[in-house]
């Protein structure tokens, strides 16, 4: 996992990011023009909190999350115009794509003007070599807790509230699920769509939670509310 994504994950785990679905950012390309959309292999970064409120990235849970995100998108395939997948076996290329996704997502989040956000070289090559105009980039992050951890943290917060006569009450966040979705356009060399979903106290490895997040992300774009 790259440095900036680690920072992003820490912010989410600390509860510094509010629970919301952001306003969709789009280019001049209309949703009706987005056809032949291919899903690029998702990246997932899920931490497990075993003690206190400190999470540690868990590769096994991240792998489960990755597959659940793929499954959630397949469930919505009748609404999202997905026509296939582009999953690569070249480790070096995948590592470069991971860095390029980071750049695109964070730049889109910061600048908002995605119509002028050029897609990155490796991503462009991958789409062109697969004769694909539109690619769907997905990154998931968040955290969950081992059984019993959340209850202990709630009790600690309540005890702290009593000791401070209610002046300080620590309310732990049970879980967090964040999904970033971006549609890139190889013909115009820019980004056609970007939106993200944050759900506090919702498990990032719950299929129903992920399905809801993708429904929220693509609502008012591929279908009306």
């Amino acid at each position: 996992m790259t440095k900036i994504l680690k920072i992003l994950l820490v912010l989410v785990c600390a509860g510094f990011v509010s629970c919301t679905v952001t306003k969709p950012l789009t280019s001049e390309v209309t949703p009706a023009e987005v056809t032949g959309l291919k899903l690029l292999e998702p990246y997932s970064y899920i931490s497990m909190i075993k003690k206190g409120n400190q999470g540690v990235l868990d590769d096994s849970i991240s792998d489960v999350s990755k597959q659940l995100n793929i499954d959630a998108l397949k469930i919505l395939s009748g609404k999202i115009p997905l026509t296939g997948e582009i999953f690569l076996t070249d480790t070096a290329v995948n590592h470069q794509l991971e860095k390029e996704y980071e750049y695109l997502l964070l730049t889109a989040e910061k600048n908002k003007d995605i119509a002028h956000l050029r897609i990155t070289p490796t991503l462009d090559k991958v789409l062109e070599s697969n004769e694909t105009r539109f690619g769907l980039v997905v990154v998931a992050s968040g955290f969950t807790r081992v059984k019993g951890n959340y209850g202990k943290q709630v009790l600690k917060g309540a005890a702290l509230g009593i000791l401070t006569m209610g002046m300080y009450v620590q309310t732990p966040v049970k879980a967090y699920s964040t999904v970033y979705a971006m549609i890139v356009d190889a013909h115009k060399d820019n980004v056609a769509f970007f939106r993200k979903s944050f759900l506090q106290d919702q498990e990032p490895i719950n299929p129903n939670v992920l399905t809801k997040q993708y429904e929220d992300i693509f609502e008012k774009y591929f279908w009306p509310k």
Side-chain angles (χ1 to χ4, degrees), residues 104-147:
L104 288 170
L105 293 173
L106 294 181
T107 302
E109 189 171 24
K110 179 180 178 180
N111 295 336
K112 309 299 182 185
D113 184 12
I114 64 169
H116 293 93
L117 176 55
R118 312 297 290 182
I119 64 172
T120 44
T122 305
L123 178 55
D124 193 24
K125 284 183 180 179
V126 168
L127 292 172
E128 289 185 354
S129 64
N130 284 273
E131 300 181 343
T132 298
R133 176 178 178 180
F134 294 106
L136 176 58
V137 172
V138 167
V139 174
S141 66
F143 69 90
T144 186
R145 296 173 184 267
V146 297
K147 186 176 181 180

Side-chain angles (χ1 to χ4, degrees), residues 95-107:
H95 181 65
Q96 183 60 35
L97 283 175
E98 182 180 22
K99 292 193 292 184
E100 292 185 6
Y101 291 175
E102 171 193 302
Y103 164 77
L104 288 170
L105 293 173
L106 294 181
T107 302

Side-chain angles (χ1 to χ4, degrees), residues 192-204:
F193 172 90
F194 171 70
R195 201 176 192 187
K196 59 180 179 178
S197 167
F198 300 87
L199 288 180
Q200 183 173 306
D201 292 319
Q202 298 294 322
E203 289 291 341

Side-chain angles (χ1 to χ4, degrees), residues 11-221:
L11 292 177
V12 172
C13 289
F16 295 152
V17 187
S18 62
C19 173
T20 186
V21 178
T22 60
K23 180 181 178 180
L25 303 178
T26 60
S27 70
E28 72 278 5
V29 173
T30 66
E33 294 178 76
V34 181
T35 59
L37 181 63
K38 298 287 183 65
L39 173 64
L40 293 145
E41 188 166 5
Y43 286 92
S44 186
Y45 311 97
I46 307 299
S47 286
M48 171 66 80
I49 298 177
K50 296 181 179 180
K51 293 182 179 180
N53 284 306
Q54 183 65 44
V56 177
L57 182 67
D58 190 302
D59 291 337
S60 295
I61 295 177
S62 295
D63 287 342
V64 170
S65 168
K66 172 182 170 180
Q67 186 58 54
L68 289 175
N69 276 271
I70 294 171
D71 293 343
L73 287 164
K74 287 181 178 178
I75 289 173
L76 298 173
S77 60
K79 302 173 74 175
I80 302 171
L82 285 171
T83 59
E85 302 169 346
I86 301 177
F87 289 6
L88 307 176
T89 58
D90 190 314
T91 303
V93 174
N94 281 326
H95 181 65
Q96 183 60 35
L97 283 175
E98 182 180 22
K99 292 193 292 184
E100 292 185 6
Y101 291 175
E102 171 193 302
Y103 164 77
L104 288 170
L105 293 173
L106 294 181
T107 302
E109 189 171 24
K110 179 180 178 180
N111 295 336
K112 309 299 182 185
D113 184 12
I114 64 169
H116 293 93
L117 176 55
R118 312 297 290 182
I119 64 172
T120 44
T122 305
L123 178 55
D124 193 24
K125 284 183 180 179
V126 168
L127 292 172
E128 289 185 354
S129 64
N130 284 273
E131 300 181 343
T132 298
R133 176 178 178 180
F134 294 106
L136 176 58
V137 172
V138 167
V139 174
S141 66
F143 69 90
T144 186
R145 296 173 184 267
V146 297
K147 186 176 181 180
N149 173 269
Y150 180 66
K152 290 179 181 178
Q153 297 310 307
V154 170
L155 290 175
K156 286 182 180 180
L160 184 59
I162 293 172
L163 290 172
T164 60
M165 300 181 67
M167 295 180 65
Y168 182 81
V169 178
Q170 184 180 34
T171 304
V173 175
K174 185 176 183 180
Y176 223 112
S177 181
T178 307
V179 175
Y180 298 81
M182 173 178 282
I183 296 175
V184 291
D185 184 344
H187 285 190
K188 293 186 177 295
D189 291 322
N190 67 359
V191 176
F193 172 90
F194 171 70
R195 201 176 192 187
K196 59 180 179 178
S197 167
F198 300 87
L199 288 180
Q200 183 173 306
D201 292 319
Q202 298 294 322
E203 289 291 341
I205 51 174
N206 183 325
N208 294 329
V209 170
L210 293 172
T211 299
K212 172 178 170 45
Q213 288 188 273
Y214 284 110
E215 287 176 336
D216 290 343
I217 284 173
F218 291 110
E219 186 177 73
K220 295 183 180 180
Y221 187 70

